[in-house]
Amino acid sequence: MEWIIPDQQDMPLLEYIYFTRGIKDRDKFHNPTLSDLSDPFEFSDMKKAVKFINKSIKENKKIYIHGDFDADGITATSILWQFLYRELKANVMPFIPSRFDEGYGLTTESIESLIQKGAEVIITVDCGIKDIELINKYSDKVDFLITDHHTIRSSDEVNIEGSKIVDSYLVSSKSVANIHPLLSSLTFKQLCGASVAFKLVQALIIENKLNVDINKYLELACIGTVCDVMPLIEENRVIVSLGLKELNNTKNLGLFNLKKIAGIRDKLSTYHIGYIVGPRLNASGRMGDALEGVKLLTTNSDSLAYSTAKNLEILNLKRKEFTEKALNEAEKMLNLDNGYIYLASEDWSEGIIGLIAGKLAEKYFKPVIIGSKNLKSKEIKASVRNPLNFNVTELLDGLKSNLKRYGGHSQAAGLTLDIKNEGTFLEALERDFSVYLKNDELFKKELILDGILKDFKDVDINFVEKFNLMQPFGFGNKKPLLYSSEIFFKNIKSMGSTGNHVKGILYDRDGNEVEFLGFNKGDLTRDINTSKGYEIAFNLDIDDFRDRKVVIKLEELR
C-alpha cells in the first residue's frame, strides 16, 4: 500500500484541511440552515409532477408509492407516503416489492400486482428511471410518475418505443414526469432516492402553500443519504446535518423505539445511522417484508412502533447469523486467480448476497459478484460490489445481452440472469473485464492522508473539537486521517475478549504523550519494537467513557 503524504509545508494542520476540502465560508459550513436547501423546481419535470399529483388527489385516484427494499427505498417510500396521506389526504398506499417474489425495482410482477390492487397512479421512489419498456407496456392501464437517482440510460439507445432524449439521457416519454437529479439544473446532483422524494415533498409544500414542519421528512432523508453512501458535501451535508439534529430529538415513534432497543445512548452520528439504524431497516427487506420498515417509520402507535422495532432487532440478529455462515462458505470456494470474484450458490439467500459481496470486495480489493441460485425459477440473482475506480454499471452495459435485468451505481449494482446463461455470461465477463486488468492504476491501493500532525504538544480536547466541527463525517467528507512520524509506543496492552484489540501510549520525539486504541491490531503486543520510531496514520477522537480525554485511533503504521 502506497502512503500519499500531503505537501502541507508550513500551513497549520486545521487550515490545511479546510483549504484542501475547499471550505471557504466556515461559519456557513458549520451551521447549515433550511435556506441552504436548493429550489426543488430546478428539477426539469417538477412543476409537471406537482400539478399531476394535485390533480390525482382531487380526483381521488388510487395512488401507490412503489419503493425499493433497501434503507434508501424504505425511507423514500415513508417520506412520500406520510406526506401525501397525512398532509394532502390522498388515497395512497405504500408498496415495496418482495426481494424474493417480485425482485428489485419496477418489474412486471410488481406492476401487475398493483394494477390488481386497483392502482390508477404509480409513483416510483428510488427506482424506475431505466424501465422504459415496462412503463410503455403498462402506460395504457396506469399512470406512472418516476422519481429515482440511479444510472440513466444513454441517448445512444434511440430505437426504443415510448422513449425520448432529455439532456443526452434516454427516459420514458409515457411517464407523466421523470424526476431525477441528472434531469435538473441543480449544481449538486448526487442525491439519494430519499432526498429526491424529499425534494418532491418540498415542491408540494411550496406549491400548496402549506404550513408543514419539513424537518420530520429531513430526518428520513438523512438516513437514506448515509445508508446509500452518498457524498456528505453540498446539499447532502445540509440534509444530514439538519437531519441529525432532528434524529437526536426525534418525535418519530419508530426511530425512538429503534434507538432504545438497539441500545443507542450516545448522541446519534452518521456511524449510528450506517452501522446500527440502517442495518435494522435493511433487515426487513433482507429477511422478511420491507414494508415493516415503512410501518416502523410512519406509525403513530407507540405499541406498534415498539413491537416493529423489536421484530427488526430479531431479524437483524438472524441476518448476521446467516451472513456469517454464508461468508465462511464463500471463503472456502474462492479462486483468487482472476481480477474479480464470481461465486453463486443455491444455499445463499438473496437477502444477504450484497453483504457477502461487500465484505469480500473490501477484504480482497477486487470486484465481486455474489449470486443466489433459484432452481425453481431457474434464475441467478446477484449483487455486485466494486472497490476499484471504474463504473461497474457501465461494464454490465456491455454484458446486457446475457442478462435479464441489471442496474445500480458506479460501485454497486444488481443483476439477474437465467441459470442456463451462466457459462456464457462468465465468458463475456472474462473477455470484457480483461480490458480493466490492463490498467494497473485501477488496482493500486493507496492510503491518502489528509494532513500532517508534527507533534502531540497541542493535542487536547479543544484541538479535537475544532476538527469535529467538520462533522457529519462519512463518504466524501471523511474524518481527517492524519500522519505523524518518529512516534514511539509504550505500555501496550491487549483488549477485548479475544485480545484482538490493543491500547497504550504513543509519544513523539519530545516526549509528548497521547493514549491510543488499535482495533483489530492485537498483533502489536507481539510485533512492536518499543525502542524504534514509527510513521502512523490515525484519527483523533474524544473518549467519553469514564473521564473525557483525547485518544488516537490507530489505522496504519510502518
Side-chain angles (χ1 to χ4, degrees), residues 99 227 229 275 286 319 323-324 326-327 330-331 334 341-343 348-371 382-388 392 411-414 445:
R99 187 188 292 265
C227 292
V229 199
Y275 291 95
R286 293 187 189 282
R319 185 269 309 168
T323 303
E324 191 174 339
L327 194 57
E331 289 275 6
L334 281 178
I341 292 168
Y342 173 87
L343 297 171
W348 298 338
S349 164
E350 290 171 38
I352 59 171
I353 53 177
L355 299 172
I356 303 167
K359 287 180 183 294
L360 292 178
E362 184 181 356
K363 182 175 180 179
Y364 295 105
F365 199 61
K366 293 182 178 194
V368 177
I369 304 173
I370 299 294
S383 282
V384 189
R385 296 294 181 269
N386 174 33
L388 307 184
V392 73
Q411 311 311 122
K445 214 169 182 183

Side-chain angles (χ1 to χ4, degrees), residues 304-328:
L304 182 60
Y306 178 81
S307 62
T308 308
K310 191 74 176 171
N311 185 42
L312 293 191
E313 183 73 18
I314 293 164
L315 286 176
N316 191 49
L317 290 170
K318 188 177 171 186
R319 185 269 309 168
K320 283 183 182 177
E321 181 188 328
F322 280 32
T323 303
E324 191 174 339
K325 181 176 180 289
L327 194 57
N328 288 335

Side-chain angles (χ1 to χ4, degrees), residues 89-107:
K89 312 304 179 190
N91 180 12
V92 61
M93 290 291 289
F95 173 84
I96 296 184
S98 164
R99 187 188 292 265
F100 312 102
D101 298 328
E102 290 100 354
Y104 163 80
L106 202 61
T107 62

Side-chain angles (χ1 to χ4, degrees), residues 47-69:
K47 281 190 182 297
K48 248 192 261 184
V50 167
K51 185 178 178 182
F52 172 74
I53 289 172
N54 282 336
K55 182 173 180 287
S56 298
I57 293 171
K58 191 175 180 181
E59 293 172 358
N60 197 36
K61 289 200 171 175
K62 184 71 175 177
I63 302 169
Y64 273 89
I65 311 299
H66 185 306
D68 197 21
F69 42 62

Side-chain angles (χ1 to χ4, degrees), residues 69-214:
F69 42 62
D70 64 359
D72 188 22
I74 289 168
T75 49
T77 304
S78 300
I79 288 168
L80 196 53
W81 178 79
Q82 261 197 105
F83 178 77
L84 294 183
Y85 180 73
R86 296 215 166 100
E87 305 297 343
L88 297 185
K89 312 304 179 190
N91 180 12
V92 61
M93 290 291 289
F95 173 84
I96 296 184
S98 164
R99 187 188 292 265
F100 312 102
D101 298 328
E102 290 100 354
Y104 163 80
L106 202 61
T107 62
T108 299
E109 292 81 3
S110 65
I111 295 170
E112 288 186 352
S113 173
L114 292 184
I115 290 171
Q116 285 175 12
K117 293 174 191 287
E120 296 171 274
V121 174
I122 294 175
I123 304 176
T124 72
V125 290
D126 196 35
C127 64
I129 198 68
K130 291 186 76 169
D131 298 310
I132 298 167
E133 293 88 348
L134 273 175
I135 294 164
N136 186 50
K137 181 179 176 182
Y138 290 100
S139 59
D140 61 333
K141 294 184 174 72
V142 65
D143 289 321
F144 291 91
L145 194 165
I146 306 300
T147 81
D148 199 357
H149 75 122
H150 289 95
T151 305
I152 311 185
R153 290 161 76 164
S154 165
S155 58
D156 295 340
E157 301 179 62
V158 291
N159 298 316
I160 298 176
E161 189 179 346
S163 68
K164 63 181 178 181
I165 296 172
V166 179
D167 297 336
S168 79
Y169 298 108
L170 197 71
V171 297
S172 171
S173 61
K174 297 292 183 75
S175 58
V176 174
N178 295 289
I179 306 296
H180 191 290
L182 293 179
L183 309 175
S184 74
S185 58
L186 293 167
T187 54
F188 180 75
K189 300 177 188 284
Q190 298 181 67
L191 300 175
C192 70
S195 290
V196 175
F198 171 81
K199 299 306 288 185
L200 179 54
V201 165
Q202 197 184 0
L204 284 161
I205 289 171
I206 292 168
E207 184 68 19
N208 292 309
K209 297 181 173 60
L210 299 175
N211 182 22
V212 171
D213 179 13
I214 202 164

